[in-house]
């Protein structure tokens, strides 16, 4: 949705350079269907914030995927402004923002609808994990910045890929925000972690297969995808986002959610490892 | 969603939660768990649009949707030149989701507020999830329709407006007509002036009715072990889980012989699921009588731990997520043959399209 409240300058001032078509063969997925990309997670990267984390997802060799880099800062818990109404719980506000240079298409400084949508998803995912009644009358801000989006230069031109990419971004946002919340020392029932699974058409007209942590540009088409926010020790899901066209076969969406939960277990190990490391380092 | 204040006391919430987790649940307005609020609907109310609809729920919420279509030049992708001899089929696959513009307006809320954006993205996502919709907007390789869907809630948002907006959008799309194309191939499009000759975006009965129909999004909540459809405001305030599930009917080519098979049930396809943050997480907790220092008769004899354990009958906001089994139960209840989705679609089919 366009911003109708301000008179903005024309959006297309910076014209992205158009490169000659590279004859890159569309790379195939080299990982196993149940393999996720390696993740690097470090907490406490922003000294001025009460909690922060940085997540990097490994770029693939020989693939158009350039990996993803996210950073999250948590400010608070701090007292609400005097004008705010009384709240018996901590008030959580989430902001997700792409850096202007994160994707092929330049993002403006104002958040667009997809970013606002992502922040609502993130809020749902985190609110389930927080024990919010331990901080009445206080607020916490969770700010996630996507420094580098997971998009190849040439392939991302085609629309459709970008939409599927949002699921991956949300999965990363959830994981990095959970680590930053833990770093800030805010009580949670568990560290929540994000995981993505997708249904892609099989090779040579075979049955569709399910893959974990899909890179949209590695597949010709994505039939359906699912992103979950999962609490491993309680075995509960705080946020579920599934889209795509699934036939009425009941097992398909059940399988897809189960695979996404499986993927999030992988990234929860990264969170656990980095938090232990931070705790040992003191 | 978070901005909406919940004006229920802990005692009211505990009462609601208790009666809604009974088997069968007792809903405040006396409905069955799978029953929708009664509604009145009409289509073709706005003469200046390609299709429009108005739906009025019995609780006083009302929405109108107008669909307007414009012709737009398709911007060729820079790669298109390489593969010149493309068949029309292949070209129609290069459809884009942004040919559809959807705006939701809710009184009292800014149009860029996160919850409004969330609603409109949810409706948009369900429409575009199967790639059929964008193909309907394809005219030829150089031109396409651009569809503007404007969703207006005209009453104050008394309950979460998602089911209302979704049903209204469904009806408006069913009633949408586009002028009949007279030109052929890739020449500049020419259209028939006669509005009577215009074609429906979603073909009507009798003609080629194959393919998907517009989606509907159902709001389903789980309270205790119960799955409740179309929750009112009070029910949403005590819900442990709220899911928005979008389904659409897919019609298959049928032979003349199997008419009976069709009448039994329809084939539903699942398009999208989203978790909605239930407002119950923001409700104030109740204070058990035993730990209430204000009541002198039952002065607390020993120190209570900081409210970690739950007392029977005292409201406490739900914590944590949802078990997979509960989510699965909700999805099964929506997709069930002859279930609520069928009932709603049957009801909407009865609305006369003008």
């Amino acid at each position: 949705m366009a911003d109708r409240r301000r008179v903005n300058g024309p959006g297309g001032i910076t014209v992205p350079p158009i490169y000659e078509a590279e004859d890159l063969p569309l790379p195939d997925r080299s990982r196993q269907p149940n393999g996720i990309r390696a993740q690097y997670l470090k907490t406490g990267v922003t000294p001025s914030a009460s909690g922060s984390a940085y997540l990097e997802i490994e770029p693939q060799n020989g693939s158009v995927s350039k990996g993803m880099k996210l950073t999250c800062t948590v400010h608070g818990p701090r007292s609400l402004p005097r004008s705010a109404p009384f709240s018996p719980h901590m008030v959580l506000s989430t902001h997700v923002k792409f850096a202007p240079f994160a994707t092929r298409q330049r993002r403006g400084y104002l958040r667009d609808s997809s970013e606002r949508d992502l922040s609502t998803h993130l809020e749902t995912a985190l609110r389930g994990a927080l024990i919010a009644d331990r901080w009445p009358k206080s607020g916490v801000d969770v700010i996630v910045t996507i420094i580098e989006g997971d998009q190849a230069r040439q392939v991302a031109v085609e629309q459709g890929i970008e939409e599927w990419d949002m699921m991956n971004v949300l999965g990363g946002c959830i994981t990095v925000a959970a680590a930053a919340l833990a770093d800030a020392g805010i009580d949670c029932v568990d560290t929540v972690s994000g995981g993505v699974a997708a249904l892609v058409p099989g090779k040579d007209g075979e049955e569709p297969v399910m893959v974990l942590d899909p890179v949209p540009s590695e597949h010709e088409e994505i039939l359906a995808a699912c992103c979950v926010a999962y609490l491993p020790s309680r075995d509960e899901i705080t946020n579920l986002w599934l889209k795509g066209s699934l036939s009425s076969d009941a097992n398909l969406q059940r399988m897809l959610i189960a695979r996404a939960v499986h993927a999030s277990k992988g990234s929860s190990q990264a969170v656990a490892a980095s938090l232990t490391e931070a705790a040992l380092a003191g | 969603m978070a901005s909406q204040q919940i004006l229920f006391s802990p005692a009211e919430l505990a009462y609601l939660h208790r009666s809604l987790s009974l088997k069968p649940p007792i809903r405040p307005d006396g409905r069955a768990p799978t029953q929708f609020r009664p509604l009145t609907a009409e289509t073709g109310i706005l003469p200046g649009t390609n299709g429009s609809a108005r739906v009025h729920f019995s609780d006083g919420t009302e929405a109108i949707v107008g669909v307007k279509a414009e012709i737009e030049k398709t911007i060729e992708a820079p790669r298109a030149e390489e593969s010149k001899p493309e068949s029309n089929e292949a070209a129609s696959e290069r459809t884009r989701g942004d040919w559809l513009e959807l705006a939701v307006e809710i009184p009292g809320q800014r149009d860029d507020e996160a919850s409004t954006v969330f609603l409109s993205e949810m409706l948009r996502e369900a429409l575009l999830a199967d790639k059929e919709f964008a193909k309907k907007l394809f005219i030829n390789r150089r031109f396409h329709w651009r569809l503007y869907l404007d969703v207006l809630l005209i009453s104050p948002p008394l309950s979460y407006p998602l089911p209302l907006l979704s049903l209204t959008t469904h009806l408006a799309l069913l009633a949408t007509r586009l002028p009949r194309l007279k030109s052929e191939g890739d020449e500049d499009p020419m259209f028939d002036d006669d509005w009577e000759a215009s074609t429906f975006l979603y073909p009507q009965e009798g003609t080629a009715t194959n393919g998907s129909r517009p989606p509907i999004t159902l709001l389903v909540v789980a309270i205790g072990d119960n799955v409740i459809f179309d929750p009112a405001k009070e029910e949403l305030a005590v819900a442990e889980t709220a899911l928005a599930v979008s389904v659409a009917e897919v019609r298959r080519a049928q032979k003349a012989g199997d008419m009976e098979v069709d009448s039994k049930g329809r084939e539903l396809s699942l398009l999208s699921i989203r978790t909605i943050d239930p407002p119950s997480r923001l409700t104030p907790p109740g204070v058990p009588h035993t730990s209430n220092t204000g009541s002198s008769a039952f002065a607390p004899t020993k120190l209570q731990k900081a409210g970690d354990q739950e007392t029977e009958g005292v409201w406490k906001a739900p914590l944590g997520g949802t078990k997979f089994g509960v989510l699965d139960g909700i999805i099964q209840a929506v997709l069930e043959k002859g279930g609520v989705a069928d009932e709603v679609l049957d009801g909407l089919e009865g609305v006369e399209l003008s």
Side-chain angles (χ1 to χ4, degrees):
Chain A
M1 195 190 310
D3 180 40
R4 299 188 200 134
R5 289 179 189 275
R6 288 162 205 85
V7 182
N8 288 318
I13 296 179
T14 40
V15 181
I18 295 170
Y19 297 92
E20 284 189 16
E22 297 165 34
D23 274 338
L24 276 177
L26 210 63
D28 279 340
R29 186 185 167 100
S30 49
R31 286 171 286 140
Q32 292 290 312
N34 60 356
I36 63 168
R37 288 170 290 171
Q39 297 182 345
Y40 171 79
L41 184 63
K42 186 173 168 60
T43 53
V45 287
T46 314
S48 59
S50 54
S52 60
Y54 170 76
L55 174 73
E56 192 170 324
I57 294 174
E58 141 193 80
Q60 293 286 289
N61 270 343
S63 165
V64 279
S65 158
K66 297 289 186 290
M68 191 159 52
K69 296 185 178 72
L70 301 116
T71 163
C72 174
T73 52
V74 173
H75 298 278
R78 53 189 175 197
S79 58
L80 287 174
R82 278 171 178 278
S83 56
F86 170 77
S87 160
H89 295 292
M90 176 155 63
V91 176
L92 173 73
S93 65
T94 51
H95 297 263
V96 176
K97 184 77 192 88
F98 279 89
F101 43 78
T103 50
R104 179 186 161 87
Q105 204 143 36
R106 183 180 172 273
R107 303 274 177 160
Y109 286 98
L110 292 168
R111 291 193 297 160
D112 69 7
S113 63
S114 66
E115 288 160 344
R116 285 174 201 279
D117 188 34
L118 277 180
S119 62
T120 317
H121 277 296
L122 181 64
E123 186 180 332
T124 312
L126 295 182
R127 206 194 290 282
L130 284 175
I131 308 177
D133 54 357
R134 294 203 184 154
W135 282 275
K137 301 182 273 181
S138 53
V140 65
D141 295 318
V142 176
I143 297 149
V144 179
T145 312
I146 295 114
I147 303 172
E148 200 172 290
D150 186 9
Q151 277 189 42
R153 195 176 60 215
Q154 197 59 54
V155 193
V157 181
E158 276 142 56
Q159 187 78 9
I161 285 181
E162 200 174 35
E163 285 177 31
W164 294 114
D165 220 37
M166 284 298 152
M167 291 245 176
N168 269 339
V169 171
L170 178 65
C173 286
I174 292 167
T175 309
V176 75
L181 278 178
D183 185 45
I186 294 171
D187 296 3
C188 294
V189 289
D190 193 2
T191 50
V192 62
S193 61
V196 186
L199 185 72
V200 296
K203 276 185 189 137
D204 311 323
E206 282 171 32
E207 283 283 292
V209 285
M210 282 188 195
V211 292
L212 300 191
D213 192 17
V215 177
S217 54
E218 285 179 358
H219 304 285
E220 272 176 35
E221 192 186 1
I222 288 186
L223 301 174
C226 171
C227 177
V228 295
Y230 179 68
L231 302 168
S233 68
R234 292 170 68 103
D235 187 27
E236 288 178 342
I237 295 169
T238 58
N239 186 29
L240 169 67
W241 183 19
L242 185 147
K243 71 174 175 179
S245 185
L246 290 170
S247 61
S248 51
D249 181 11
N251 277 324
L252 218 52
Q253 79 265 12
R254 206 176 281 165
M255 280 280 287
L256 198 59
I257 299 172
R259 297 310 288 162
V261 165
H262 193 77
S264 70
K265 280 178 183 159
S267 50
S268 83
Q269 284 172 3
V271 179
S274 85
L275 289 177
T276 331
E277 193 185 318
L280 288 177
Chain B
M1 192 104 205
S3 60
Q4 281 179 25
Q5 283 284 321
I6 299 138
L7 300 168
F8 293 111
S9 69
E12 277 174 307
L13 292 167
Y15 173 78
L16 281 169
H17 187 262
R18 191 80 180 274
S19 54
L20 285 169
S21 32
L22 293 173
K23 270 210 173 288
I26 301 169
R27 301 178 70 168
D29 45 9
R31 279 184 287 161
T34 56
Q35 203 178 350
F36 255 66
R37 282 167 281 190
L39 59 89
T40 48
E42 57 179 327
T43 59
I45 50 157
L46 306 171
T49 58
N50 289 65
S52 59
R54 183 188 76 100
V55 172
H56 185 101
F57 267 174
S58 66
D59 66 351
T61 50
E62 190 173 4
I64 49 175
V65 170
V67 183
K68 279 184 97 76
E70 279 176 11
I71 295 175
E72 200 179 54
K73 235 183 166 148
T74 310
I75 303 161
E76 296 250 346
R79 313 213 308 165
E81 302 109 51
E82 308 159 15
S83 48
K84 259 275 148 62
E86 234 175 341
S87 68
N88 219 12
E89 280 293 300
S92 66
E93 279 168 19
R94 276 207 322 265
T95 52
R96 293 166 60 100
D98 56 7
W99 292 355
L100 169 76
E101 199 160 301
L102 199 149
V104 174
E105 194 158 314
I106 290 172
Q109 280 187 20
R110 287 176 57 129
D111 55 5
D112 55 355
E113 199 169 296
S115 57
T116 316
V117 170
F118 190 73
L119 268 176
S120 71
E121 285 289 311
M122 188 150 39
L123 295 173
R124 214 179 104 86
E125 177 178 284
L127 265 175
L128 296 173
D130 60 341
K131 291 154 188 100
E132 297 291 313
F133 184 74
K135 280 182 195 160
K136 289 181 194 294
L137 304 179
F138 178 83
I139 299 174
N140 58 35
R141 274 167 51 187
R142 289 169 51 228
F143 292 92
H144 63 258
W145 288 108
R146 186 176 182 84
L147 211 63
Y148 296 90
L149 249 163
D150 293 294
V151 184
L152 260 74
L153 187 71
I154 44 182
S155 63
L158 299 172
S159 57
Y160 195 59
L162 175 67
L164 173 66
L165 301 186
S166 158
L167 297 186
T168 321
T169 313
H170 175 96
L171 278 176
L173 279 170
L174 278 181
T176 300
R177 294 200 280 184
L178 297 174
R180 192 175 66 84
L181 187 66
K182 280 204 298 195
S183 58
E184 287 170 350
D186 281 347
E187 55 190 56
D188 288 1
M190 278 273 291
F191 293 98
D192 200 332
D193 289 342
D194 190 2
W195 184 242
E196 291 301 313
S198 61
T199 53
F200 279 98
L201 187 64
Y202 285 94
Q204 297 300 296
E205 298 287 343
T207 50
T209 54
N210 302 334
S212 61
R213 311 290 290 167
I216 54 168
T217 306
L218 302 176
L219 185 62
V220 196
V221 296
I223 301 172
D225 295 329
N226 293 320
V227 174
I228 292 173
F229 283 83
D230 189 27
K233 194 181 188 185
E234 305 90 48
E235 288 155 345
L236 205 57
V238 294
E240 278 136 27
T241 314
L243 275 192
V245 186
S246 306
V247 291
E249 182 192 350
V250 183
R251 292 203 179 150
R252 299 253 176 267
Q254 44 183 308
K255 286 150 204 111
D258 43 51
M259 291 296 268
E260 294 94 307
V261 183
D262 187 54
S263 60
K264 265 185 193 164
R266 49 195 91 215
E267 195 177 332
L268 293 175
S269 77
L270 180 69
L271 296 176
S272 83
I273 305 174
R274 276 179 184 225
T275 313
I276 289 169
D277 196 11
S280 57
R281 293 198 206 283
L282 299 169
T283 49
V287 181
H289 200 47
T290 47
S291 65
N292 190 357
T293 45
S295 63
S296 53
F298 294 94
T301 47
K302 57 179 182 180
L303 275 176
Q304 295 272 334
K305 273 184 198 145
D308 271 354
Q309 68 271 48
E310 284 184 47
T311 321
E312 177 72 24
V314 175
W315 173 251
K316 197 165 185 303
L319 204 63
T322 319
K323 292 278 185 210
F324 177 66
V326 177
L327 292 177
D328 196 45
I330 295 179
I331 300 167
Q332 292 312 318
V334 173
L335 291 177
E336 197 184 350
K337 279 251 185 309
V340 185
D342 257 341
E343 205 176 289
V344 172
L345 285 170
D346 276 339
L348 290 178
E349 243 166 44
V351 178
E352 197 183 321
L353 301 177
S354 51

